[in-house]
Amino acid sequence: MTNQRSKLVVGNWKMHGRLAANAALLEGVAQGVQSLPAEVRVGVCVPFPYLAQAQTLLGVSRVVWGAQDVSAHEQGAYTGEVAAAMVADFEAGFAIVGHSERRAYHGESSELVARKTQRALAAGLTPIVCVGETLEQREGGTTEQVVGTQLDAVLAVLSVEEAARIVVAYEPVWAIGTGKSATSEQAQQVHAFLRARLAAKGAQVADVPLLYGGSVKPENAADLFRQADIDGGLIGGAALKAGDFLAICAAAGVGASVAE
Ligand code: PEP
C-alpha cells in the first residue's frame, strides 16, 4: 500500500530557547528546508514569547510556526492564559493542544482539550491534537481504549468540516523524552486504529495528518515515516538541533515516496 498523503514534521520546542539561540536555530531550519522535497511540510511550535521572533525569521521561508497550547477561553479575566486569536495575530499556523505534559502537569481533561481545539480552529489555526497512553495503560492492554476516548472527546464537539482541519499526533507517554521510541509496528498499529476512528467521523476526516511523536531521531525517522498511516512526526528534543531536525524532515521526504 502506498501512502499518498504529504508528510508533515513539526518541532515542539517545549520550554526551551532564548532569543540568541533561537535565531541560530530558526535561521538554520529556514535555510535547510530549501533543499527538502516539496511534499514535506515543516513547522515549529515555539514558546509564546518567541512567536514574534519566529514570524520575523521564518516569514519568507516555507516553515510554518505555531504555539504549544491555547486557552479554552476566547478572552477575558484568565490571568496567564493566551488566547488562540493572540497566537493567530502572529500569523501562526499551528497550535498544539492536549500534549501529555499539559494533561499530566496541568490536569487537562480531554473535554478541555476539545474546547481548546475549537478555539484554535475558530482563530484559523490548525490544532495538533495529541493523544497517547501511559506505560501502565499499554501494559494493561488499554491503549486503544485510551487514545480512542481522547480522540472521541475532540471529534464529538467538531463538525465534519472542522474535524477535517485538525492534525492528530499519537504520542505514547512512555516514549516522550525517554529515548525509547515506539517501534514502527507499534506506532502503525495505533495509527491504523486512529485512522479508522477518524474515518468513522466522515470520509473527509479520514485523511487528516496523523503524526507520530516520542523520541523520533534521525536514526529511526525513516522507518516510522514509511508506515502506511504515519504522515510525519511531532518532534521534541531532536527539534532543538537544526541538523537533527532537518535530517528528520529529510527522512519524511524519503518516506513519502516509498511504497508499502
Ligand atoms: C514531544 O514533546 O512532543 C516529543 C515527542 O518529545 P521527544 O521527541 O523529545 O520525545
Side-chain angles (χ1 to χ4, degrees), residues 10-11 17 24 49 53 56 95 97-98 103 127 132 137 159 161 183 187 192 195 217 221 232 250 252:
V10 180
Q53 187 187 25
T56 302
V97 291
R103 292 180 193 258
Q137 290 164 333
S159 67
E161 292 69 29
T183 64
R195 178 83 62 207
K217 305 180 265 283

Side-chain angles (χ1 to χ4, degrees), residues 69-151:
D69 188 29
V70 289
S71 176
H73 303 283
E74 189 176 4
Q75 62 170 356
Y78 301 103
T79 303
E81 294 265 282
V82 176
M86 297 172 183
V87 173
D89 271 346
F90 293 91
E91 297 178 306
F94 293 115
I96 297 171
V97 291
H99 192 281
S100 63
E101 288 153 12
R102 304 255 0 138
R103 292 180 193 258
Y105 307 144
H106 302 272
E108 293 195 3
S109 66
S110 293
E111 289 64 36
L112 183 75
V113 174
R115 293 209 303 279
K116 290 183 172 200
T117 304
Q118 289 177 302
R119 290 289 174 211
L121 286 167
L125 303 170
T126 298
I128 301 176
V129 180
C130 299
V131 300
E133 83 287 4
T134 63
L135 186 58
E136 197 183 13
Q137 290 164 333
R138 173 160 281 266
E139 288 175 349
T142 58
T143 297
E144 292 188 350
Q145 190 189 322
V146 170
V147 299
T149 303
Q150 290 172 339
L151 182 60

Side-chain angles (χ1 to χ4, degrees), residues 87-253:
V87 173
D89 271 346
F90 293 91
E91 297 178 306
F94 293 115
I96 297 171
V97 291
H99 192 281
S100 63
E101 288 153 12
R102 304 255 0 138
R103 292 180 193 258
Y105 307 144
H106 302 272
E108 293 195 3
S109 66
S110 293
E111 289 64 36
L112 183 75
V113 174
R115 293 209 303 279
K116 290 183 172 200
T117 304
Q118 289 177 302
R119 290 289 174 211
L121 286 167
L125 303 170
T126 298
I128 301 176
V129 180
C130 299
V131 300
E133 83 287 4
T134 63
L135 186 58
E136 197 183 13
Q137 290 164 333
R138 173 160 281 266
E139 288 175 349
T142 58
T143 297
E144 292 188 350
Q145 190 189 322
V146 170
V147 299
T149 303
Q150 290 172 339
L151 182 60
D152 283 354
V154 172
L155 294 179
V157 301
L158 303 181
S159 67
V160 171
E161 292 69 29
E162 288 170 330
R165 287 166 46 214
I166 70 172
V167 170
V168 175
Y170 168 56
E171 297 208 310
V173 178
W174 48 272
I176 296 179
T178 58
K180 188 180 172 206
S181 171
T183 64
S184 48
E185 292 76 21
Q186 284 173 320
Q188 166 56 27
Q189 202 174 6
V190 179
H191 278 234
F193 169 80
L194 292 169
R195 178 83 62 207
R197 208 77 165 201
L198 290 162
K201 176 78 181 176
Q204 293 155 263
V205 191
D207 277 333
V208 305
L210 264 177
L211 311 184
Y212 168 77
S215 297
V216 179
K217 305 180 265 283
E219 300 76 41
N220 61 11
D223 194 32
L224 285 159
F225 298 163
R226 202 177 287 124
Q227 304 304 311
D229 291 296
I230 300 183
D231 304 323
L234 184 57
I235 318 299
L240 298 173
K241 288 187 186 156
D244 285 355
F245 185 61
L246 289 164
I248 292 168
C249 294

Side-chain angles (χ1 to χ4, degrees), residues 28-70:
V29 171
Q31 198 173 12
V33 294
Q34 289 174 22
S35 54
L36 292 175
E39 71 268 18
V40 180
R41 297 187 294 141
V42 178
V44 290
C45 290
V46 302
F48 292 125
Y50 300 128
L51 281 169
Q53 187 187 25
Q55 182 184 24
T56 302
L57 295 181
L58 298 176
V60 294
S61 81
R62 56 188 268 197
V63 182
V64 176
W65 56 96
Q68 300 168 16
D69 188 29
V70 289

